[in-house]
Amino acid sequence: MTQLNGRQRLIRAGRRLFAEKGYSGTGVREIAAEAGVSIGLIRTHFGSKAGLREEIDRQVIAQIEELCSRATRHLGTEALEHLIEDAVEWVERERDALLYLRTSLMERTPGSQALLRELLEIMRRFVQINRRRGLLQDGVDEEWAAIYLVIDFLGPAVLEPFSEQEFGMSMYHREMVKRRSAFMNRVSTRGFMKS
Amino acid sequence: MTQLNGRQRLIRAGRRLFAEKGYSGTGVREIAAEAGVSIGLIRTHFGSKAGLREEIDRQVIAQIEELCSRATRHLGTEALEHLIEDAVEWVERERDALLYLRTSLMERTPGSQALLRELLEIMRRFVQINRRRGLLQDGVDEEWAAIYLVIDFLGPAVLEPFSEQEFGMSMYHREMVKRRSAFMNRVSTRGFMKS
DNA sequence: TTCGCCTGTATACGATCGTATCGTATACGA
DNA sequence: TCGTATACGATACGATCGTATACAGGCGAA
């Protein structure tokens, strides 16, 4: 991290702090201090605090797009498993990005609307492709299937900050993921309750 | 609303503004203005801004507890339908409370941890009862079933602020709810994809 | 009545907010 | 080696933050 320049360090620091304490809960002095640079640099590179957020938004949205579109190249329940596994790997690599995504979604950032739409579009396409391949059960409400997939993608992210306390480990811990993957696979093909 | 006293009006105003713009995004002057009282009254009744939030937390948590425990007195998929329908009625009556719940959960309020735990406990009990009555399929991961239920309860709340834009109506609009209820019923008993 | 209490208002205070300004150091091509 | 752009720092400014203080009217108990 030390070899990063001021601009990149500000992005890192901003992403982490916005994720943890929210946009309006974080001051520019705090960001600059964590990045180890002076406050003025925010203005130099991003114009303002809001400009910094926009840049962070852009980068995180790009990561999510990449993540989802790579996983949904597969089909059926296999694609869902890929999505979960890719998400785990991503979270291990860029945990701050996930928590930022979560916070941003809750704060109704300019970028968060775009992010949600992108997520919905990806899931809609996924459902559509699977229907064409005959992998969808008959009579399924396709729009709700897409919404359902978005919710189940975001769910663990929403619970993540409470996960250590409630379950003793991260929602993206290998063991947790294995159980989640098994459960989701089962639910999506057979359900879990008797009718 | 006009016949409410200062204390109650502050709670209403705080709940709405915290829900919309977050805790640190909302100033005490704004709350007092919306409530139509003076700033000093926050200190009189709640000691501080944080004290006001704690009081709001208490009230919203109580509402959620009431909501969930009433619905889960029923069994099986019928209980899930009840939960959805009760939630709709609650949202129609107290829309701000739902949005507050959402925001609070994202901000990791002192109260939000308690709320999530309560939600988990309710769902765990629900799963356990259904297992005893033989309404659960064999070999289901019960802990994950509870987590899954929490996620699917919170999901629409998370999407709600984007719902009007993305779907043209609230997540708790009758039509939306009907489709959601049907989809969730189907998924929980049969899934939606072929294996 | 008078006292104390409760609800409520008005305003002042110090801290912190985001932003603007001005400064220097370094790098690099002409 | 000069000119200029870029990278970065120090500090000042006005606004707004949450909180504290001072005080006013209403009301029941003495």
Side-chain angles (χ1 to χ4, degrees):
Chain A
M1 176 116 168
T2 320
Q3 67 257 33
L4 297 176
N5 62 17
R7 181 187 163 89
Q8 290 167 313
R9 298 172 63 155
L10 278 171
I11 292 176
R12 289 278 174 153
R15 203 178 63 178
R16 201 192 74 72
L17 287 167
F18 289 160
E20 185 190 329
K21 325 187 347 165
Y23 177 74
S24 41
T26 305
V28 288
R29 285 163 184 80
E30 199 177 358
I31 299 171
E34 169 140 339
V37 300
S38 134
I39 343 166
L41 210 55
I42 293 175
R43 175 161 224 271
T44 304
H45 288 298
F46 312 102
S48 67
K49 184 187 176 189
L52 171 59
R53 170 163 71 178
E54 283 166 27
E55 180 56 31
I56 297 174
D57 277 345
R58 266 191 291 276
Q59 296 195 5
V60 173
I61 289 175
Q63 287 184 29
I64 296 285
E65 284 176 359
E66 156 70 6
L67 177 75
C68 289
S69 58
R70 209 152 57 86
T72 53
R73 271 179 214 134
H74 298 84
L75 286 174
T77 55
E78 194 191 336
L80 300 183
E81 282 169 18
H82 268 91
L83 181 55
I84 292 179
E85 275 170 38
D86 286 358
V88 170
E89 192 224 332
W90 176 63
V91 170
E92 283 172 354
R93 211 175 57 243
E94 303 251 29
R95 185 178 160 81
D96 288 344
L98 173 90
L99 294 176
Y100 178 82
L101 158 69
R102 188 194 110 105
T103 304
S104 145
L105 218 57
M106 299 309 142
E107 288 191 330
R108 238 153 131 19
T109 280
S112 67
Q113 180 100 26
L115 174 64
L116 188 78
R117 171 164 299 156
E118 186 62 32
L119 226 43
L120 257 170
E121 269 318 307
I122 290 170
M123 296 308 180
R124 281 187 186 122
R125 278 200 299 274
F126 174 75
V127 169
Q128 200 179 347
I129 289 171
N130 279 277
R131 193 238 306 140
R132 288 211 192 104
R133 304 290 174 100
L135 291 169
L136 225 59
Q137 293 179 13
D138 292 334
V140 163
D141 185 331
E142 294 187 22
E143 176 70 355
W144 253 101
I147 298 174
Y148 171 86
L149 289 172
V150 170
I151 288 177
D152 284 326
F153 174 78
L154 295 177
V158 170
L159 299 189
E160 175 64 10
F162 307 100
S163 184
E164 203 66 44
Q165 179 103 16
E166 294 300 324
F167 311 117
M169 66 183 81
S170 161
M171 295 297 286
Y172 297 90
H173 185 285
R174 292 285 168 190
E175 190 185 324
M176 204 71 172
V177 166
K178 206 176 136 197
R179 292 174 65 186
R180 176 184 167 208
S181 202
F183 183 82
M184 294 315 290
N185 198 317
R186 185 207 184 98
V187 169
S188 62
T189 56
R190 287 184 286 156
F192 69 106
M193 299 190 75
K194 295 181 182 169
S195 47
Chain B
M1 178 113 167
T2 320
Q3 66 259 32
L4 297 177
N5 61 15
R7 181 187 163 87
Q8 289 167 315
R9 299 170 63 154
L10 278 171
I11 291 175
R12 289 280 174 153
R15 204 178 63 178
R16 200 192 73 73
L17 287 167
F18 288 159
E20 186 189 329
K21 326 188 341 168
Y23 177 74
S24 43
T26 305
V28 289
R29 284 163 183 79
E30 199 177 358
I31 299 171
E34 169 139 338
V37 301
S38 132
I39 341 166
L41 208 56
I42 292 175
R43 175 163 225 271
T44 304
H45 286 297
F46 313 101
S48 67
K49 184 188 176 188
L52 170 59
R53 168 163 74 177
E54 283 166 27
E55 179 57 31
I56 296 173
D57 277 345
R58 266 191 292 275
Q59 295 195 5
V60 172
I61 289 176
Q63 287 184 29
I64 296 284
E65 284 176 359
E66 156 70 8
L67 178 74
C68 289
S69 59
R70 209 151 60 86
T72 53
R73 270 180 214 134
H74 298 83
L75 286 173
T77 54
E78 194 192 333
L80 300 183
E81 283 169 18
H82 267 92
L83 180 56
I84 292 177
E85 275 169 38
D86 286 357
V88 170
E89 191 224 332
W90 176 63
V91 170
E92 282 173 354
R93 211 174 57 242
E94 303 251 29
R95 185 178 158 81
D96 290 342
L98 173 90
L99 294 175
Y100 178 83
L101 158 70
R102 188 193 109 104
T103 305
S104 146
L105 216 57
M106 299 309 144
E107 289 191 330
R108 234 150 135 20
T109 280
S112 67
Q113 179 101 25
L115 174 65
L116 187 77
R117 170 162 301 156
E118 186 63 31
L119 225 44
L120 258 170
E121 268 317 307
I122 290 170
M123 296 307 181
R124 281 186 186 123
R125 278 200 299 275
F126 174 74
V127 169
Q128 200 178 347
I129 290 171
N130 280 276
R131 193 237 305 142
R132 288 212 192 103
R133 304 290 173 101
L135 291 168
L136 224 59
Q137 294 178 14
D138 294 332
V140 163
D141 185 332
E142 295 187 21
E143 175 70 355
W144 254 101
I147 298 175
Y148 171 87
L149 289 172
V150 170
I151 289 177
D152 284 327
F153 174 78
L154 294 177
V158 170
L159 299 189
E160 175 64 11
F162 308 100
S163 184
E164 203 65 45
Q165 180 102 17
E166 294 301 323
F167 312 117
M169 65 182 81
S170 161
M171 295 297 285
Y172 297 90
H173 185 286
R174 293 284 167 190
E175 189 184 324
M176 205 70 173
V177 165
K178 205 174 139 199
R179 291 173 65 186
R180 176 186 166 207
S181 202
F183 184 81
M184 294 314 290
N185 198 317
R186 185 208 184 97
V187 169
S188 61
T189 56
R190 287 184 288 155
F192 69 106
M193 298 190 75
K194 295 180 182 167
S195 46

